[in-house]
Amino acid sequence: MSALLVPPSRVPQPRNPGVALRTITAETYRAFLASPAGAALGAGFLQCPSWADVKEGWRAQLLGWGPDPEAGDLTGVALVLLRQFPGTRKYFAYLPEGPVADWNDPDVDDWLGPLLEHLRRAGAFAVRIGPSPAYRRWDAALLKPLTGPGRRLGDVLASEVDPLGTAVAERLRARGWRRCGGDGTGGNGTGGGGTGGDGDAQPRHVFQVPLAGRTQEDLWSGLNQEWRRNVRRARKEGVEVVVGSAAELPEFYRLLGITERRDGFRLGRSLAYYERQYAVLNAEEPGRMKLYLARHRGEILAAHTMITVGRRAWYQTGASADHRREVRPSNALQWRMLLDAHALGADVYDMRGVPSTLDPEERTYGLLRWKLGTGGQVVETLGEWERALGGSANHALHRAFQAYLNRR
């Protein structure tokens, strides 16, 4: 993955002279994420330097800001992916689930302004970000009895509204940002990874199981009766769950194709994509991405991937066969993955995207129903936000780029 570099002397300085923004090395970036200050910001795997090597067709920059970025004295970082607009020398800048920043900081302009100006000077005509604060949460116990024809998450009063998420949304709107897809409920989920909805590239609604301060017994009692029954059934039937290797990725991919056809979605990724992802994430940190396999009578019936960064773990993508589903291999896999995430010290097990529908007649509702059984929470993130980087030409390019993406 090539990088666009802007000489540090050309990067505008923020109003606060104690904050500078620079391009930084992958080593400096990773060291910050591993530090107490960086770990506290809870970076996701999409903001790790290795993710730049997963994405083909994008150029990458690693940026950091703080008192002395080159020396590793940082307060925030960002992986920026840049895609060239065909026929121009201009770029669309994308920070998937980033930047990694302290969104509690009331002086957000001290780093956000220089970040945008840096990207404009690097040739970006527009930028999309994914702020980390949550917006609303719904407990599984709240949602289960409130399903019905035509019902959606937005029709149900949330268990919790995050004041920080509300404040960040207001700050972004005041600075000319637009929430992708507007402020509807958004966020359709597919498979384990899910897809964005209403204009989001990443899922707006995710499902999370809190792990901090809980015992294995707490996790077991948090499962609903159906889940506990299915895990017991898998154990009784002799389903074996193991951690696989890159050698089993072709079988995972074969099962993923079966799952896509059965459940009516299409991720559009190749086997090479998953092989590259597995290789580069584990090169960055051994064990960062794991492939879990459920075997029954010597046959792999299901395969799920899990990614860990710091004190967070994600169930990214799941696949399963059409036959012998009665032995419940996917339930067995998820229970093992939950226990492993807990043993690793993760605070949260993130099951990624879920749909916003509460209508049992809609096909995608089955995914939400399955994840609700773990007893966690549906979390509406702030979603993704975009803005053009000033000037009529950039605004025109932004509109043209959106039309180009819609045609693809």
Side-chain angles (χ1 to χ4, degrees), residues 138-156:
W138 293 265
D139 293 334
L142 169 70
L143 293 174
K144 187 176 179 180
L146 296 178
T147 61
R151 300 209 68 175
R152 312 203 55 92
L153 282 169
D155 299 326
V156 178

Side-chain angles (χ1 to χ4, degrees), residues 184-204:
T185 54
N188 298 315
T190 55
T195 60
D198 295 346
D200 294 311
Q202 304 304 325
R204 182 179 293 189

Side-chain angles (χ1 to χ4, degrees), residues 2-85:
S2 59
L4 291 173
L5 300 179
V6 175
S9 61
R10 295 182 57 192
V11 177
Q13 298 303 302
R15 295 170 299 170
N16 182 349
V19 177
L21 187 145
R22 299 285 190 271
T23 55
I24 59 175
T25 66
E27 291 73 20
T28 300
Y29 193 113
R30 283 192 286 265
F32 173 71
L33 293 186
S35 71
L41 299 178
F45 64 91
L46 298 177
Q47 278 292 295
C48 287
S50 56
W51 198 251
D53 294 316
V54 175
K55 304 299 291 180
E56 289 189 322
W58 298 78
R59 302 178 72 182
Q61 285 192 353
L62 299 176
L63 303 177
W65 54 90
D68 190 352
E70 289 98 333
D73 191 358
L74 296 162
T75 56
V77 292
L79 165 65
V80 183
L81 301 176
L82 298 120
R83 169 158 284 182
Q84 190 169 9
F85 186 80

Side-chain angles (χ1 to χ4, degrees), residues 214-232:
R214 302 177 72 189
T215 65
Q216 289 189 10
E217 291 73 22
D218 293 333
L219 296 179
W220 178 255
S221 62
L223 303 180
N224 68 14
Q225 186 177 15
E226 181 182 3
W227 261 79
R228 291 196 296 270
R229 183 171 61 247
N230 288 342
V231 173
R232 290 192 186 105

Side-chain angles (χ1 to χ4, degrees), residues 371-383:
K371 294 182 181 182
L372 286 173
T374 63
Q377 297 178 318
V378 175
V379 179
E380 181 183 4
T381 70
L382 281 183

